[in-house]
Amino acid sequence: MAQVSQDGRTWLLTGPASSYAVHVTDRDELVHLHWGPRIALADAEALARRPLPDDWPFESRLDGREEYPVEGGPRFTRPALSVRAGARRGTEWVFDGHEADDGTLRLRFRDGALTVTLHYRMRGDVIERWVTLHNGGPAVELLRADSATWTLPDREQWRLSQLHGRWAAESRLTRSPLTYGEKVIGSRRGHTGHQHLPWVALDTDATEEHGEVYGCALGWSGSWRICVAQLPDARVQITGGSGHDDSGLLMLDTDETHVTPVFAGLWSDGGFGGASRAWHAYQRTYVVPGADRDRPVLFNSWEATGFDIAQEQQRELAERAAAMGVELFVVDDGWFGARTSDRAGLGDWTPNPDRFPGGLKPLADHVHALGMQFGIWVEPEMVNPDSDLYRAHPDWVQFQPGRRRTEFRNQLVLNLARDDVREYLWEQLHGLLSAAPVDYVKWDFNRCFTDAGWPGDPYPQRLWTDHVHGLYGLLDRLRAAHPHVAFESCSGGGGRIDLGILSRTDQVWTSDNTDPLDRLAVQHGFSQIHPARVMAAWVTDSPNTMLNGRVSSLRFRFVSAMAGVLGVGGDLTRWTGEELAEAREWVALYKEIRPVVQRGDLYRLRPPEGGLSAVQYVLGDETVVLACLQAQHHGEPVPALRLRGLDPTASYECRESDEVHRGAVLLHHGLPTGLRGDLDAAVFRLRRL
Ligand code: GLA
């Protein structure tokens, strides 16, 4: 809800626990007033009456206080908006009014023919912010247009949390003190990237369950940048948006409008855990489509059969998967065109006639007859030079005239900014989903942009942005035409995970690293922002074939993967009868706890670094604890797990031990786990009596 002061120059947004306030001065400067616990409009008005400091030649009175710092005039911070019109750069706006009718607050400013509108929408305590730019005059160049700048309150020493990584090692959490200057994270790769999730959190003294945490997360699946700046007077601002630098985002023609992606912000006083739970609830309620429906247990063929796939062999895998209780069978790479290795076939989305003589339908029908859904892998934005598509349309890829075309994994990136490319992909994919009863699409993206050129286009720079809009448009169109089909976002594992892709996919592939121990750290980081409901996790073979040869028990592999959307990805033809039978029990157990895991509140009881790690989920009267012990040392007893989110006055029955525990005892003295040795793990189900 937005409230506005009598003079129409101070606004207050209110969520269940938080407030946010801004003010336009009599010089039309938009200043930030408050972001934090709930306040009243009168408090915001009192803040608005506090004078800004005086200008002087070496510092700006606006820096660190402005809601959306534009380039130009008395400002020295990194601008959120940078516009070039002919020989003139920068923006000098006048306030042009506000609207707050439909749950969104819009603040409008004008600079000549350019209208800049700041949008604010409360979703619980998450504030979604974005900006629209409308050009009523001759073409202007948008060098930078961030979605929002967030201003933190004055505090002594901020600490920055971020999720860094690389291929097979995504979303690992680090925390470091913020120092003077700028800390910039982002992607120059054309996709969200494995290197950073587009999220940061700032706190001064928070713990897992206590203290104030400010966080923000970007909804954009292309290149992006978030800059956290500690200014000379120690004030902190975070500015972020699409695009990696200020050298040209788009050309905005006469009467064109540019809409930035959403940059969402959240204040919480429940520590890192409270902030995560609020982010999770926000995504389940407002972002992820159909998040009230639980995701099925899937089998994926990639680690089992790689590129070497055939109909008979997939049928056999499907039979074993079905017997295990798997609900969705996914044929990964290798089913189409001349795709017998990563050297050929991308772009030709028709089933390989040697491998699938009757197309995919016979296998899909068999899978359905076994009682499972059927899924396929695609990588539509790419092409192998050795493909019919590339031979017919070598100009459909991104390339720079007269330059080498960089091949990564023997593939080039299609130019999705082109109408003909998007139309071709629509026809191929729509045809595919219409020809066989496909229930699920794993949509991959396996290389970064390197030669983002578009010979012949007057402003090729736009392909960075238009590629992403092209991808979003295709997904939206396919979802509308095939509403029963679920989509997974994959990019060599977790290279494309953000609020933008999550608003049009059902789950994401977290990492190509399926080692159950490494996964604990990846999942710990992932859970800082995204819910278990979208986090795919597979049980694969031991020794681990993809990465490190680590040997682990089925128990450990299952408990690690049960923390998200469970999948199985091992070569089931090589699993023994006992292994298959044990796996069947784990899958049955997962189905039982699934509603609690996928829809419950997550409490991270212990981080993975400590040797013993555990997560707890609470939904209504049900509680699930997943505990993993990396290694026991010196025969020391493994500590009991102090649970959270329980009623201290209630009693809880543990299904594993049949014991009844007092809530207060579980909260203050903990649940004994009985774990011992190396790579041990256990699941505990508790029900409130
Ligand atoms: C990427 C994905 C894998 C698999 C392969 C297939 O690496 O992350 O899961 O689908 O592509 O080529």
Side-chain angles (χ1 to χ4, degrees), residues 167 170 194 300-303 306-307 331-334 336 339 341-342 346 377-379 409 411 442 444-446 488 490-495 509 511-514 538 546:
W167 176 78
E170 297 88 334
H194 301 80
N300 178 289
S301 69
W302 176 242
E303 289 202 29
F307 289 107
V331 179
D332 207 277
D333 203 346
F336 54 91
R339 187 80 168 168
S341 72
D342 64 16
L346 282 178
W377 177 96
V378 294
E379 195 183 355
R409 211 189 189 211
Q411 66 195 55
K442 174 179 173 183
D444 212 335
F445 179 95
N446 273 321
E488 174 178 86
C490 173
S491 175
W509 182 221
S511 175
D512 274 345
N513 184 345
T514 59
W538 309 341
M546 277 300 272

Side-chain angles (χ1 to χ4, degrees), residues 390-433:
Y390 189 72
R391 280 182 284 274
H393 300 287
D395 54 332
W396 277 13
V397 298
Q398 301 180 352
F399 69 103
Q400 301 284 355
R403 299 269 191 236
R404 215 177 289 125
R405 300 180 182 198
T406 309
E407 288 181 30
F408 278 161
R409 211 189 189 211
N410 311 300
Q411 66 195 55
L412 300 165
V413 187
L414 288 172
N415 182 355
L416 261 69
R418 292 179 62 125
D419 298 339
D420 45 10
V421 171
R422 289 195 311 276
E423 208 44 40
Y424 169 82
L425 291 176
W426 156 255
E427 278 162 22
Q428 294 290 301
L429 296 166
H430 175 57
L432 195 60
L433 298 184

Side-chain angles (χ1 to χ4, degrees), residues 125-175:
D125 283 309
V126 170
I127 307 162
E128 294 181 338
R129 288 182 58 188
W130 70 99
V131 172
T132 51
L133 295 143
H134 177 77
N135 180 22
V140 296
E141 205 178 356
L142 281 187
L143 300 176
R144 182 82 202 165
D146 276 349
S147 301
T149 301
W150 300 96
T151 304
L152 303 188
D154 279 333
R155 296 283 185 273
E156 293 297 310
Q157 174 61 68
W158 287 100
R159 178 169 59 162
L160 172 70
S161 300
Q162 60 184 107
L163 297 167
H164 75 103
R166 56 180 167 74
W167 176 78
E170 297 88 334
S171 61
R172 284 168 307 143
L173 177 67
T174 56
R175 297 210 158 102

